[in-house]
Amino acid sequence: MLNFSELKLTDRSPIYLQLIRYVKSAIVSGSVQNGEEMPSRRLLSSLLGVNPNTIQKAYRLMEEEGFIVSHAGSGSIVTFTDETAAALRRQLLLEDTREYLASLKAMGLTLEETASLLKEVWSEEKEEKA
């Protein structure tokens, strides 16, 4: 069963969107397998201390996006293909990149300054891992 114990809810975005992103990230990272069970809506609501309607909304949207399937009386499962996982990975990367770039633009950085900063941090990370 997909484990939500590491989910840290924030005030940055609506809770239902945070739940969806968490499941997408689990798919992309490989920490959830195709066919793995999702917690029941009631259980997840209780675990996270979140309104059951919020959980219901997240599940409904994930069903509409096609990466969970729900069956009456038997719960919900995560379902995806390699292509779906690749598309989700790209989607998450684009969202993160757009958010990061908006922040840098708000601080007045140019494309050249942004590229230079990225190269600098990339090199530091590479050196730390060596």
Side-chain angles (χ1 to χ4, degrees):
M1 181 178 302
L2 181 55
N3 185 352
F4 282 82
S5 65
E6 294 186 16
L7 174 61
K8 304 294 183 235
L9 297 174
T10 68
D11 293 336
R12 287 183 47 198
S13 65
I15 292 171
Y16 74 94
L17 292 177
Q18 293 178 60
L19 294 170
I20 293 169
R21 184 175 180 86
Y22 186 81
V23 175
K24 288 178 178 180
S25 295
I27 291 170
V28 169
S29 71
S31 63
V32 65
Q33 301 302 311
N34 189 36
E36 194 165 333
E37 284 184 58
M38 294 283 293
S40 73
R41 290 157 176 80
R42 184 174 292 138
L43 174 62
L44 189 54
S45 172
S46 176
L47 287 172
L48 299 177
V50 173
N51 186 307
N53 292 329
T54 300
I55 305 297
Q56 177 62 30
K57 183 174 185 175
Y59 275 51
R60 181 178 46 79
L61 292 171
M62 288 186 281
E63 289 169 4
E64 289 174 6
E65 286 192 51
F67 57 92
I68 73 165
V69 175
S70 297
H71 302 288
S74 63
S76 302
I77 60 167
V78 179
T79 181
F80 60 92
T81 63
D82 289 343
E83 292 80 21
T84 305
L88 290 174
R89 179 177 187 267
R90 179 168 172 72
Q91 177 189 23
L92 293 175
L93 288 170
L94 285 171
E95 288 172 7
D96 287 349
T97 302
R98 285 185 181 110
E99 185 177 325
Y100 179 65
L101 287 177
S103 174
L104 293 176
K105 285 180 181 180
M107 288 188 268
L109 268 73
T110 65
L111 176 60
E112 292 76 22
E113 290 170 321
T114 300
S116 176
L117 180 64
L118 181 61
K119 287 178 186 177
E120 179 183 330
V121 173
W122 188 278
S123 295
E124 289 173 2
E125 290 290 320
K126 189 176 179 182
E127 290 173 10
E128 288 177 11
K129 290 182 180 179

